[in-house]
Amino acid sequence: MRCVIVDCAIYRDGRRTEGPEDFSGALEKARSEGDAFLWIGLHEPSEEEFSRVTSEFGLHPLAVEDALTAHQRPKLELYDDSLFMVLKPATYEPHSDTVTTGELMVFVGDSFVVTVRHGVGAPLSAVRDRLEHQPDVMRHGPTAVLYAVCDAVVDHYIDVADELQTDLEEVEAAVFAPTSSSRAAERSAAAQTTAERIYNFKRQVQEFRRATGPLAGPMQKLTGAGLPFVNARSQPFFRDVNDHLTHANEMVEGLDRLLSDILSAHLAQMGVRQNDDMRKISAWAAMAAVPTMVAGVYGMNFEHMPELHWIWSYPAVIALMLAIVLVLHRQFKRRGWL
């Protein structure tokens, strides 16, 4: 158990106190004091390691199964002896344009809080440190821990959305930047790279949405009255978190719309560039067709062709072909085809 227990402490009157090393004894002590509670933090426990916590705290088997299996959607469930909440903390790696989500389960019951973390991105150590320096908040008991965890996760959503917004603005600038290269192969490679990056951002935004979107329902429940194991005076705090979550979801929706607009603009630009290339190819083909046609006429080897016996026939035909090609080149250049 030592390897999975990140921290275990009793909090009385909003301050951390010394308690028994064994968490079962700590829970009994917290309940006996009345105004104290136990907060135990676990990191990716196995079924065997979590079984003792289950028996000591009386956690519901279905909630325990969710906490061990992970891969859950954000949700809030009420059982006889505890309140169970699932959150998905998110982090963003700008070097790889990747959004990574972990999982954070919170059990809130009579005089105890159990947090179970899976993956990365759960800011529990910072939350605990901040709460220990805010005894006025910590006096609200286990509800204070639930509020602080939700607040930290949702605030980090906004940070991730801001970072995504910054990188998307770079992609948008690259899409609308003038093309400096005149080589079609280089333009095609650059367009393919931009398209791949846009689609990658689409996948990351969808991953981010799976963390933020489903959390709206649980937060709405926490803002209501009469929820067991939740301090009635905590509603204004959860309303504040819910406002931040609404803002985060609006930012995610805005990112998704921006990506769709960038992709549409990118595809439109690719179509325009292809049309430009086709116009250039058509112009050069037209200029090549004129000499080909004239040469074909004089290559038919008819017996009665008066021009063949004229001494200036060859230079006259060459001059005619050059003149027509120059006229076509000038017309195409004037119309922007070349």
Side-chain angles (χ1 to χ4, degrees):
M1 288 296 295
R2 288 289 181 183
C3 60
V4 298
I5 295 179
V6 179
D7 201 351
C8 178
I10 294 177
Y11 297 88
R12 184 171 60 86
D13 194 28
R15 300 187 182 276
R16 183 171 182 144
T17 63
E18 296 296 332
E21 293 185 0
D22 184 73
F23 63 82
S24 59
L27 179 58
E28 293 176 1
K29 181 180 178 181
R31 284 175 171 169
S32 65
E33 293 181 358
D35 61 344
F37 70 94
L38 172 67
W39 181 4
I40 178 172
L42 306 174
H43 178 242
E44 297 184 354
S46 65
E47 183 177 356
E48 182 180 356
E49 292 166 335
F50 201 51
S51 61
R52 185 181 171 191
V53 178
T54 303
S55 60
E56 292 291 342
F57 290 87
L59 305 179
H60 196 278
L62 293 177
V64 171
E65 181 182 356
D66 289 343
L68 291 173
T69 307
H71 305 294
Q72 304 294 318
R73 297 174 75 251
K75 61 182 180 179
L76 178 67
E77 295 181 348
L78 179 63
Y79 298 99
D80 293 336
D81 299 322
S82 63
L83 190 72
F84 177 63
M85 187 168 187
V86 179
L87 301 102
K88 294 180 75 69
T91 57
Y92 178 63
E93 177 54 54
H95 298 293
S96 58
D97 299 335
T98 303
V99 174
T100 305
T101 57
E103 291 195 34
L104 180 58
M105 289 77 171
V106 184
F107 294 87
V108 178
D110 180 21
S111 302
F112 73 85
V113 177
V114 178
T115 54
V116 182
R117 177 168 63 89
H118 290 269
V120 297
L124 288 183
S125 59
V127 170
R128 188 185 288 262
D129 182 68
R130 190 177 73 230
L131 280 176
E132 289 178 355
H133 289 83
Q134 295 177 328
D136 292 340
V137 178
M138 205 64 150
R139 288 191 184 97
H140 289 83
T143 304
V145 178
L146 180 61
Y147 154 71
V149 170
C150 294
D151 185 57
V153 170
V154 171
D155 283 349
H156 198 59
Y157 285 162
I158 297 177
D159 294 336
V160 172
D162 286 335
E163 292 175 351
L164 277 169
Q165 178 74 34
T166 300
D167 284 355
L168 283 182
E169 289 174 355
E170 294 178 1
V171 175
E172 184 179 22
V175 167
F176 291 101
T179 305
S180 59
S181 174
S182 59
R183 296 178 59 183
E186 293 181 6
R187 291 202 308 269
S188 177
Q192 183 177 3
T193 301
T194 302
E196 289 177 356
R197 194 176 184 194
I198 293 172
Y199 277 113
N200 177 65
F201 270 116
K202 270 282 191 184
R203 289 195 298 269
Q204 304 312 314
V205 170
Q206 289 301 319
E207 177 71 18
F208 193 23
R209 190 202 298 271
R210 283 192 286 268
T212 64
L215 189 58
M219 290 308 306
Q220 285 288 343
K221 292 180 181 179
L222 287 172
T223 59
L227 196 63
F229 307 109
V230 177
N231 193 315
R233 292 177 295 177
S234 64
Q235 293 179 27
F237 297 95
F238 286 112
R239 281 199 294 267
D240 181 67
V241 177
N242 189 49
D243 289 342
H244 292 177
L245 178 62
T246 301
H247 178 54
N249 280 321
E250 290 174 350
M251 293 180 72
V252 173
E253 292 295 332
L255 291 173
D256 189 58
R257 288 194 299 269
L258 178 61
L259 274 169
S260 298
D261 293 341
I262 292 175
L263 181 60
S264 299
H266 177 63
L267 295 177
Q269 283 191 341
M270 290 181 62
V272 171
R273 290 169 184 168
Q274 288 176 349
N275 289 337
D276 289 340
D277 293 338
M278 288 303 300
R279 283 201 299 266
K280 291 179 181 179
I281 293 172
S282 300
W284 287 109
M287 288 187 291
V290 172
T292 302
M293 181 187 67
V294 175
V297 170
Y298 285 97
M300 291 186 292
N301 296 322
F302 289 138
E303 181 178 355
H304 301 288
M305 295 184 70
E307 297 87 351
L308 297 178
H309 303 288
W310 185 36
I311 191 171
W312 298 105
S313 295
Y314 178 75
V317 170
I318 296 297
L320 175 64
M321 290 189 294
L322 287 175
I324 296 175
V325 169
L326 289 175
V327 170
L328 289 175
H329 185 274
R330 183 178 179 182
Q331 291 296 326
F332 290 142
K333 195 77 171 178
R334 181 180 299 174
R335 295 186 179 186
W337 285 34
L338 293 175

